[in-house]
Amino acid sequence: VEAVLEAAHLVPYRGPQTDQPDNALLLRADLHTLFDRELLHIDPETRRVHLAPVLQNGPYAGFAGQEVRLAEGVTSETFKDRLNQRGEQLKPSAT
């Protein structure tokens, strides 16, 4: 249902330079929340969905292993790069 679709940023939003079509993934609102909270992860190499253990036996289990389709004009390499950037930015800093 189109009314519940949202654009999720692959690299967290940091201003206009990150608000680009190749930095977006169209997700249902609840999946967007799971993605932002790092409960739903997309493998940069395979583009397959991985779920946090807390989600693996519930209503989201069917998403595990699904391959994310790329938007028109987005290359596999760009998508992979953005997901790798996301992983780097979301890593806890060593203090």
Side-chain angles (χ1 to χ4, degrees), residues 13-93:
Y13 181 79
R14 303 275 192 260
Q17 71 276 11
T18 57
D19 205 15
Q20 303 296 320
D22 69 351
N23 189 37
L25 181 63
L26 191 61
L27 293 174
R28 204 170 68 190
D30 58 331
L31 298 175
H32 182 181
T33 298
L34 294 173
F35 183 70
D36 282 351
R37 294 186 179 180
E38 299 183 65
L39 296 170
L40 182 151
H41 170 75
I42 301 168
D43 183 288
E45 296 295 328
T46 65
R47 296 196 324 258
R48 296 210 179 270
V49 172
H50 297 275
L51 301 172
V54 68
L55 299 176
Q56 290 178 357
N57 295 316
Y60 294 101
F63 291 102
Q66 294 292 317
E67 186 175 339
V68 172
R69 291 184 303 220
L70 299 178
E72 187 175 321
V74 177
T75 67
S76 292
E77 198 59 36
T78 299
F79 190 78
K80 178 181 167 182
D81 289 346
R82 292 288 195 176
L83 285 174
N84 284 327
Q85 285 177 310
R86 175 185 182 83
E88 287 299 315
Q89 288 185 7
L90 294 177
K91 278 184 187 176
S93 60

